[in-house]
């Protein structure tokens, strides 16, 4: 199961692999309409979206709706996993049975999750936790590590650049100036959006570099597959087989969000990815997370204004 990382001691982001780790400044490129939507957000019907007064709204898009860029994006994980599994089998590092299980998988958008329910325990007065496997949606916001990424500005007609402080991607090692005071963010960020949302809802949030290089993709997946195989190779109970299947499903769905074709490497992209159970709870909806558009295509996430340290282009 996915356990929430206590913010007093850990980075709130669930890093999927060391190779994806990024903890520096981030740059979000947009146009004038996108800029207005961040600072004065409205839904697709034109109605104003209410967010905390010290926040902006970062719009994330459901990954299944992202077709503007790499139309084959969701095939990269499948091709990589099958290539690696066959190579491991050829070198006798995994069994034929395990390789067949892996090769029969497709991206399922399914994983284990832990999420708090709004319903209070009648005796203890505490919110309960929902634990289990379920269908999830992945919502993505895109950034670049390049503060002068002319390719993105030109290809996406996005002349406005918002700069996000290192504290946004690495709160455990950062200070933040908030309401006239300087704080060590590692102790303060449970009260700073979006981290307080994670604390209240136990939502899974990942931040990491997009991987374009084929060799790097294969290296990551080889480590993941060998870890799964070594954990379950001597276990033949129905429960262990089911757990192994869940682990493979989770691997497929997570890395699906971070693998792209090599021809897109000049984007130098970092992705912020929310894992949201389709069975949304009242708690999730109560924490200023707004879903909008047909089939909840968009998600608006409150982000404290203090994380934005600069704006260049046509923004004010």
């Amino acid at each position: 199961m996915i356990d929430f990382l206590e913010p007093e001691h850990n980075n709130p982001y669930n890093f999927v692999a060391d190779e994806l780790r990024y903890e520096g400044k981030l740059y979000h490129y947009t146009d004038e309409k996108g800029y207005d939507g961040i600072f004065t957000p409205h839904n697709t019907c034109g109605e104003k979206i209410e967010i905390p007064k010290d926040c902006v709204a970062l719009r994330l898009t459901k990954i299944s709706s992202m077709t503007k860029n790499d139309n084959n994006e969701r095939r990269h994980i499948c091709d990589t996993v099958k290539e690696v599994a066959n190579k491991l089998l050829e070198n006798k590092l995994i069994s034929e049975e395990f390789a067949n299980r892996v090769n029969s998988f497709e991206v399922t958008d399914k994983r284990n999750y832990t999420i708090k329910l709004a319903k209070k325990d009648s005796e203890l007065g505490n919110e309960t936790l929902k634990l289990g496997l379920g269908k999830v949606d992945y919502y993505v916001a895109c950034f670049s590590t390049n503060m002068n990424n002319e390719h993105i500005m030109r290809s996406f007609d996005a002349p406005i650049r918002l700069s996000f402080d290192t504290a946004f991607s690495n709160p455990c090692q950062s200070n933040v100036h908030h309401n006239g005071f300087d704080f060590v963010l590692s102790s303060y960020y449970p009260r700073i959006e979006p981290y307080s949302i994670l604390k209240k809802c136990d939502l899974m949030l990942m931040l990491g570099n997009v991987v374009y290089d084929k060799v790097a993709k294969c290296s990551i997946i080889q480590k993941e597959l060998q870890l799964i195989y070594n954990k379950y190779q001597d276990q033949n109970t129905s429960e262990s087989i089911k757990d192994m299947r869940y682990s493979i499903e989770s691997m497929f769905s997570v890395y699906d969000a971070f693998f792209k074709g090599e021809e897109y490497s000049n984007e130098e992209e970092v992705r912020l990815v929310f894992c949201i159970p389709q069975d949304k709870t009242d708690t999730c909806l109560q924490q200023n997370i707004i879903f909008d558009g047909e089939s909840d295509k968009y998600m608006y996430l409150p982000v404290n204004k203090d994380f934005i340290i600069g704006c260049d282009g046509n923004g004010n």
Side-chain angles (χ1 to χ4, degrees), residues 98 221-232:
F98 182 76
I221 295 303
Q222 179 173 330
K223 292 177 185 177
E224 295 285 342
L225 284 179
Q226 288 188 294
L227 282 172
I228 296 171
Y229 178 71
N230 291 337
K231 181 176 181 179
Y232 294 106

Side-chain angles (χ1 to χ4, degrees), residues 10 31 42-43 61 89 95 116-117 133 148 167 171 178 224 242 245 287 300 309:
N10 300 280
D31 57 15
H42 291 74
N43 62 23
T61 304
L89 177 60
S95 67
K116 286 185 179 178
L117 296 173
L133 178 82
N148 292 302
H178 183 68
E224 295 285 342
K242 182 171 68 174
R245 179 182 176 85
Q287 303 307 322
Y300 293 87
I309 57 174

Side-chain angles (χ1 to χ4, degrees), residues 15-123:
F15 291 100
V16 283
D18 288 341
E19 293 89 339
L20 274 65
R21 186 180 295 271
Y22 182 79
E23 299 181 346
K25 291 181 180 178
L26 291 169
Y27 305 95
H28 181 70
Y29 292 87
T30 188
D31 57 15
E32 188 171 341
K33 182 179 179 180
Y35 173 87
D36 290 339
I38 290 172
F39 286 89
T40 55
H42 291 74
N43 62 23
T44 51
C45 296
E47 301 166 333
K48 184 178 180 181
I49 294 175
E50 297 296 333
I51 57 174
K53 63 180 181 179
D54 58 349
C55 291
V56 297
L58 190 64
R59 190 176 80 171
L60 291 82
T61 304
K62 190 185 295 186
I63 194 171
S64 57
S65 301
M66 294 177 67
T67 58
K68 183 178 179 180
N69 194 341
D70 184 355
N71 292 326
N72 296 314
E73 181 173 330
R74 310 206 78 203
R75 293 299 312 171
H76 295 303
I77 181 62
C78 298
D79 295 343
T80 301
V81 170
K82 289 179 180 179
E83 178 179 343
V84 172
N86 291 334
K87 191 68 175 179
L88 290 173
L89 177 60
E90 181 183 332
N91 293 326
K92 299 182 179 180
L93 295 174
I94 60 174
S95 67
E96 183 175 358
E97 180 182 6
F98 182 76
N100 289 337
R101 289 184 183 277
V102 171
N103 285 328
S104 66
F105 268 87
E106 295 289 342
V107 176
T108 61
D109 295 328
K110 189 182 282 189
R111 68 175 300 116
N112 294 301
Y113 59 77
T114 304
I115 188 166
K116 286 185 179 178
L117 296 173
K119 185 177 180 180
K120 300 273 186 181
D121 184 279
S122 58
E123 294 183 2

Side-chain angles (χ1 to χ4, degrees), residues 191-235:
R191 298 185 292 281
I192 296 286
E193 308 294 4
Y195 308 121
S196 62
I197 293 172
L198 302 180
K199 179 68 172 177
K200 294 169 184 173
C201 298
D202 279 345
L203 298 177
M204 182 176 179
L205 179 63
M206 298 172 284
L207 184 142
N209 284 298
V210 169
V211 182
Y212 307 97
D213 180 69
K214 182 178 179 180
V215 174
K217 293 175 193 173
C218 289
S219 175
I220 291 169
I221 295 303
Q222 179 173 330
K223 292 177 185 177
E224 295 285 342
L225 284 179
Q226 288 188 294
L227 282 172
I228 296 171
Y229 178 71
N230 291 337
K231 181 176 181 179
Y232 294 106
Q233 64 174 323
D234 297 323
Q235 301 181 38

